[in-house]
Each structure stands twice: as structure tokens, then as C-alpha cells.
Amino acid sequence: LLKVLSRIDSILRSPRAPPLIFRPSKGPVENYIKENGQGHGFEHLPLTIEMWADQLMALKDLHRSLRKLSLELLPWNTADPQDNRESIRVEDLQLIADAILEELENKEKNSQTSSLTTLSAIVSHFQKLFDVNSLSGVYPRMNEVYIKLGEMTNAMRNLHELLELDSSAPPTVVVNTVGKLCDIINKNVTEQVQQLLGTQDIHSIINKLEEHECFFPPFQALIQDLLCLLEISNVDDILPAVQNLK
């Protein structure tokens, strides 16, 4: 027992030992130890050893959790030479943690690189869509597109209100509604022309227009001659002037 205690004493007095493991004893136990030639404070050692045992078991549980995390993040790294060991060292856990951290750093670098590639592709696509030849022209064209979009949005909002459409109606509904209104207006204009010319047949309208083209030029020439002959300038004065000649 004395050899064991001496061995423990040498371990506890080692520079690598935790500073709080060894504490001088007080009371009857100290007197007993001193009487037997051993002035060491080991009465708290069982609790410390139990705590160590619990920590060693916790290291196994921590190792198991890190292995699960490693398999999730590093599925290709299935080999683990520490699986068959009964004792787990802190160095083993540190190796797993370092491998996980390294993989996370690599993923972050790759994600930043892919983000730059994606942004470059977006800018190139914008240049193709809106015919921008240089990077310096991207921002002005973006502003132009934004302004045009605002104008179109306002125009569509006004059309929705004028046509009494729901604000959620798509542009196709607005276009169809405007087309129907144009058809109605054209139909009304056609009806008014038909009423004016006294016919409901398009061919009759054409014939009347042709008759007008045949009649109007000679009539206009006759009127001009009368105005010159009677030395007047107003058409309304032709009839009184002719009556005066009688």
C-alpha cells in the first residue's frame, strides 16, 4: 500500500498533474498519516478517481457523437482506427474535430467561389437580355429598366381602374378588354356611316363614294366659275346674284 501511495504521490507531484488534486489533510486523519510516516492528503482521492472514471465514460460518448457528425459531413471517411480501442484519448477526439472543421472551411471557400461564378453568370445574362456591351453600362440599363417597369406598372394600374377590373387581373385580360372596346367603337362608327349614307350594305357605300367622286369635281368647277363670273367670293351669295340678273 505504501508503494502504491508513493507512486500516487509521485504522480500528483508531477508538473503534469492538476494543481487541485493534492490537498494537505487536516484533523485526525492527518495525524494518523503522520504517525505512519506518510504526510499525504489522499482522503479526497476516491471522489476524484470516480470523477475521472465518469469523464472517461463521457469521452466515449463524445467520441460516438463526433463519429456520427463526421459520417454526416464526411461520408467518404468511414475508416476509424479508434473504433476498436477500449480507451479513447483526447487526441482522437481532436483529430475528428479538426477534420470536420477543415471540411467546413473548404465548403465555405467553395460556396464563395460558386457565388462569384453565379453572380458573373447573372450579369452576363442581363447583358444579353438588355443588349449591354460593357459592365459600365449595366447600372444605367438597370435604371432604365426600372423606370420603364414603373411606367408600365402605373399604366396597368390606371387601365385596371378605367376598365373596372380587379387589380389581380393579368395583362392578357386587360388587352382582351381593350380589344373588345375597340370592336364596339368600330362597330358604332360603321353603323353611323351607314346611317349617314342611308345604306346598310358595304357595296352600296362603295358605290355612293364612287358616285361622289364622279359628281363632285364637275360641281366644284361649276361653282368656281359662277363665283368668278358673278364676281363674288361666298357660295351663299350665288343665288341672290343670279336673281338680280333677272
Side-chain angles (χ1 to χ4, degrees):
L1 179 60
L2 291 177
K3 290 181 179 181
V4 173
L5 293 176
S6 298
R7 178 62 177 165
I8 294 176
D9 180 61
S10 63
I11 294 174
L12 294 178
R13 291 179 183 276
S14 171
R16 298 177 57 189
L20 298 178
I21 295 298
F22 178 79
R23 294 197 301 269
S25 301
K26 295 182 180 180
V29 177
E30 179 185 8
N31 296 331
Y32 171 78
I33 295 175
K34 286 183 178 180
E35 290 176 358
N36 289 274
Q38 298 291 334
H40 307 297
F42 299 122
E43 63 274 9
H44 69 287
L45 195 57
L47 295 177
T48 303
I49 293 175
E50 290 179 1
M51 185 265 293
W52 284 357
D54 293 338
Q55 293 300 312
L56 289 175
M57 293 299 297
L59 281 179
K60 291 183 179 181
D61 295 336
L62 180 58
H63 178 264
R64 190 179 301 108
S65 299
L66 285 176
R67 281 295 300 155
K68 290 181 180 179
L69 180 59
S70 176
L71 290 175
E72 288 290 334
L73 298 176
L74 313 172
W76 58 86
N77 188 15
T78 57
D80 186 7
Q82 311 300 332
D83 283 344
N84 297 326
R85 288 190 179 182
E86 294 183 358
S87 60
I88 303 297
R89 300 177 302 175
V90 175
E91 291 84 350
D92 303 332
L93 306 180
Q94 188 66 43
L95 287 174
I96 299 176
D98 289 343
I100 294 174
L101 289 175
E102 183 179 359
E103 178 64 19
L104 292 177
E105 290 176 356
N106 292 334
K107 284 186 176 180
E108 183 178 358
K109 292 179 181 178
N110 293 333
S111 64
Q112 292 177 354
T113 303
S114 60
S115 297
L116 292 176
T117 304
T118 302
L119 290 176
S120 177
I122 292 173
V123 172
S124 298
H125 188 61
F126 180 88
Q127 288 181 270
K128 291 179 181 179
L129 287 178
F130 298 99
D131 193 23
V132 182
N133 297 324
S134 62
L135 290 177
S136 60
V138 171
Y139 282 109
R141 186 56 57 87
M142 281 185 175
N143 294 333
E144 182 181 349
V145 171
Y146 177 77
I147 293 173
K148 293 296 183 182
L149 178 61
E151 293 176 353
M152 291 181 61
T153 302
N154 292 333
M156 291 299 295
R157 185 185 301 112
N158 293 333
L159 286 174
H160 279 93
E161 294 177 356
L162 291 174
L163 299 174
E164 298 182 354
L165 296 174
D166 188 80
S167 59
S168 61
T172 54
V173 175
V174 176
V175 173
N176 292 335
T177 305
V178 172
K180 292 178 180 178
L181 288 177
C182 291
D183 292 339
I184 293 173
I185 293 174
N186 292 333
K187 184 178 180 180
N188 290 337
V189 171
T190 302
E191 291 177 352
Q192 291 175 4
V193 172
Q194 290 174 349
Q195 292 175 1
L196 178 63
L197 299 177
T199 179
Q200 301 296 322
D201 186 6
I202 187 63
H203 294 291
S204 300
I205 295 175
I206 295 174
N207 293 332
K208 286 185 176 295
L209 290 175
E210 291 177 349
E211 292 176 358
H212 176 268
E213 290 180 355
C214 294
F215 169 77
F216 184 76
F219 178 77
Q220 184 180 18
L222 175 62
I223 295 298
Q224 292 295 332
D225 292 341
L226 286 175
L227 291 175
C228 293
L229 181 63
L230 298 174
E231 297 180 353
I232 57 177
S233 59
N234 194 348
V235 176
D236 295 334
D237 296 334
I238 295 176
L239 185 58
V242 171
Q243 290 177 348
N244 290 333
L245 293 175
K246 296 173 61 178

